[in-house]
Amino acid sequence: MPTIIQKFGGTSLSDPLRIRRAAQRVADARQSGFDLVVVASAMGAMTDDLIDLAEQVSPMPDRRELDMLLATGEQASVALLAMALREIGCPASSLTGGQAGIRTDGVHGRARITRIECGRLERMISRREVPVVAGFQGTSDDGEVTTLGRGGSDTTAVAIAAVLRVAESGGYCEIFTDVDGVYTADPRLVRAAVKLPRISYEEMLELATLGAGVIHARAVLFGDKYGVPIHVRHSQKPDHGTMISRENPDMEELAVVGCALKDDLGRVSIRQIKNAVGLQGRIFTALAHANIVVDDIMQTEQGSATMIAFTVDHADLSDSKQIVAKMLQEMGEGEMSVEVGLSKVSVVGVGMKSHAGVASRMFRALGEAGVAIHNITTSEIKISCIIDSAKGQQSLEAVHSTFGLGLGTNATMAMQLDSSQP
Ligand code: ADP
Ligand code: ASP
Ligand code: MG
């Protein structure tokens, strides 16, 4: 029988009833003969509550201590889930990330998984005992507890699926959450959004990176790299959700499959600096060493002075500022300024590679909605615009509507083909 990995998100484990329902779902799958590994997030808003608590004790909590604290959220839920499983006769034991063999680098708060020593998981599976693994956490080589960044339990689940090579025996990874699957836009922001039955890794990676919080971007990266099919589905319903995989035949003709909004971006600008050879490498290497993912990069020249600006998630702003400030001090030149209140609205689709007119249509829709565009970035399969956060939802609705994304696949396809001809 194939091995499947079942990951339960915070809202799916927010109270004892939901924990018992999740346990029943796991027990049913085991009863049907599947080998299983379960990954759980912290209950409900536990991670937010723990961060609040930390900030009441220390406004800028020490990173190591914050990881120690946040890791307890997932430890509580795996223990409860394992108890609920045992209660209904399903052999199960909870494991911390470290006990499950999840090894990471040492960057607290946004650690990356470096390897998984999966002997203990394999031994439990061979005894038909269900490992219930705490998501979002691991240990570094020197034994420190680390966390993977907000939403990181998805990545724990797909990484385990990858090392256990579940796909080779027809297995996959199920992400149980509080929506029916991946929608054309966040259904909380765009009422007309519709569920996509399937989406390619490439498109899902872009959407997740650009703000679709339904799955952690690094989970999609692992899925793509190791060929793990990922099924995003509702934890309280039996219905099929969205399959994220390499195959995406239905969608090939669509220029745009979905759109996303990333709120709360900060922009760091460096002015009055000489464009010395190696300058950019120096700045962005220092940010990369801190695992900071930089969004957009802009550079302009004014006489002999250069201006370099980049956007980052708000959560990474304070570290980015410190890194840049230290560097400018060492170089003895340059001025730094920081802006907040920016958002990014994006459209994504592999079909963009072969359809013209997508960008112009997006810009027109934003213009008609009265939204000013502060910067534009594109790749082969996405177009993103930086806008004021106050216009975020309005922008998302405008681009969703202009590409007919709420109309269902066939109507959307007809509309996009019809009006994206040059
Ligand atoms: P979990 O606790 O299960 O990890 P999350 O809150 O992390 O759940 O992710 C689910 C949420 O993602 C949904 O409630 C939804 O508001 C949001 N979301 C954002 N973009 C999308 C999208 N394109 N499709 C579906 N949900 C989305
Ligand atoms: N509990 C963590 C968070 O809230 C991890 C996760 O939910 O995936 O970010
Ligand atoms: Mg999540």
Side-chain angles (χ1 to χ4, degrees):
M1 271 309 258
T3 303
I4 56 175
I5 313 299
Q6 296 191 322
K7 179 259 169 178
F8 292 89
T11 38
S12 312
L13 299 170
S14 56
D15 55 40
L17 179 65
R18 286 194 170 83
I19 292 176
R20 287 204 302 271
R21 282 200 191 132
Q24 193 59 55
R25 201 151 192 164
V26 173
D28 290 347
R30 182 177 174 277
Q31 199 64 40
S32 312
F34 288 106
D35 285 331
L36 286 166
V37 176
V38 173
V39 174
S41 294
M43 291 173 69
M46 171 84 96
T47 307
D48 290 326
D49 295 346
L50 290 171
I51 292 172
D52 277 356
L53 196 60
E55 287 174 351
Q56 286 177 46
V57 174
S58 162
M60 294 267 285
D62 179 80
R63 285 294 169 80
R64 175 185 185 276
E65 300 310 328
L66 189 60
D67 273 358
M68 280 297 252
L69 182 69
L70 296 190
T72 64
E74 269 68 15
Q75 289 172 27
S77 59
V78 288
L80 290 164
L81 191 50
M83 284 174 204
L85 281 163
R86 285 169 175 256
E87 193 58 37
I88 54 174
C90 176
S93 295
S94 59
L95 298 173
T96 63
Q99 287 173 325
I102 304 204
R103 304 286 167 254
T104 70
D105 61 23
V107 182
H108 287 293
R110 49 178 109 82
R112 303 235 168 132
I113 297 177
T114 49
R115 64 184 190 283
I116 302 182
E117 292 159 3
C118 54
R120 188 164 181 178
L121 292 177
E122 284 170 340
R123 285 194 297 279
M124 287 175 75
I125 293 170
S126 66
R127 296 197 293 268
R128 296 272 297 148
E129 184 181 359
V130 179
V132 186
V133 180
F136 171 63
Q137 57 175 268
T139 50
S140 65
D141 283 342
D142 42 13
E144 294 288 356
V145 173
T146 55
T147 65
L148 309 180
R150 298 305 307 268
S153 296
D154 301 327
T155 297
T156 306
V158 181
I160 290 176
V163 304
L164 294 178
R165 300 171 189 267
V166 300
E168 286 174 14
S169 59
Y172 48 92
C173 181
E174 290 181 304
I175 303 287
F176 288 111
T177 183
D178 63 350
V179 270
D180 303 347
V182 179
Y183 278 61
T184 48
D186 185 343
R188 284 186 215 236
L189 298 178
V190 180
R191 285 185 58 181
V194 294
K195 188 179 84 179
L196 297 164
R198 58 176 79 213
I199 187 167
S200 66
Y201 293 118
E202 207 183 355
E203 289 163 326
M204 190 66 241
L205 178 60
E206 286 285 7
L207 280 175
T209 308
L210 296 167
V214 62
I215 185 165
H216 202 229
R218 293 191 65 76
V220 186
L221 250 165
F222 275 118
D224 190 9
K225 188 163 173 196
Y226 298 99
V228 180
I230 305 172
H231 188 186
V232 180
R233 57 195 305 203
H234 203 293
S235 62
Q236 311 290 320
K237 298 183 193 168
D239 318 11
H240 187 275
T242 300
M243 209 64 203
I244 310 174
S245 62
R246 283 201 181 120
E247 257 60 59
N248 196 13
D250 301 348
M251 298 289 190
E252 266 165 15
E253 293 303 319
L254 279 177
V256 173
V257 296
C259 54
L261 180 70
K262 199 166 184 178
D263 263 331
D264 238 2
L265 290 175
R267 181 152 63 188
V268 178
S269 305
I270 305 166
R271 292 194 171 74
Q272 302 301 327
I273 195 156
K274 275 198 294 302
N275 190 5
V277 172
L279 171 70
Q280 294 79 357
R282 189 169 172 189
I283 298 171
F284 293 103
T285 303
L287 293 163
H289 280 155
N291 285 358
I292 292 173
V293 178
V294 171
D295 239 49
D296 299 12
I297 303 175
M298 292 141 265
Q299 176 171 332
T300 54
E301 312 269 335
Q302 289 153 342
S304 62
T306 297
M307 195 278 292
I308 298 174
F310 59 89
T311 51
V312 286
D313 282 358
H314 196 263
D316 293 334
L317 191 58
S318 119
D319 284 359
S320 306
K321 275 189 326 198
Q322 277 178 30
I323 290 169
V324 171
K326 185 164 169 259
M327 195 175 304
L328 297 185
Q329 199 183 18
E330 283 165 12
M331 294 193 300
E333 60 167 335
E335 288 166 13
M336 178 181 70
S337 63
V338 173
E339 288 158 86
V340 288
L342 296 170
S343 291
K344 184 179 198 177
V345 63
S346 310
V347 297
V348 170
V350 285
M352 242 180 249
K353 293 178 189 171
S354 52
H355 288 88
V358 177
S360 60
R361 187 151 159 193
M362 178 179 184
F363 304 154
R364 261 199 326 271
L366 290 174
E368 282 157 16
V371 179
I373 300 172
H374 299 307
N375 194 51
I376 298 163
T377 43
T378 61
S379 78
E380 265 196 320
I381 68 157
K382 67 118 188 187
I383 301 165
S384 297
C385 297
I386 299 279
I387 52 156
D388 291 331
S389 290
K391 302 262 173 146
Q393 182 163 357
Q394 204 177 325
S395 306
L396 192 64
E397 279 172 344
V399 298
H400 191 268
S401 152
T402 199
F403 290 103
L405 293 175
L407 301 176
T409 311
N410 287 339
T412 305
M413 204 179 284
M415 178 179 176
Q416 293 189 1
L417 281 174
D418 179 42
S419 47
S420 61
Q421 302 301 324

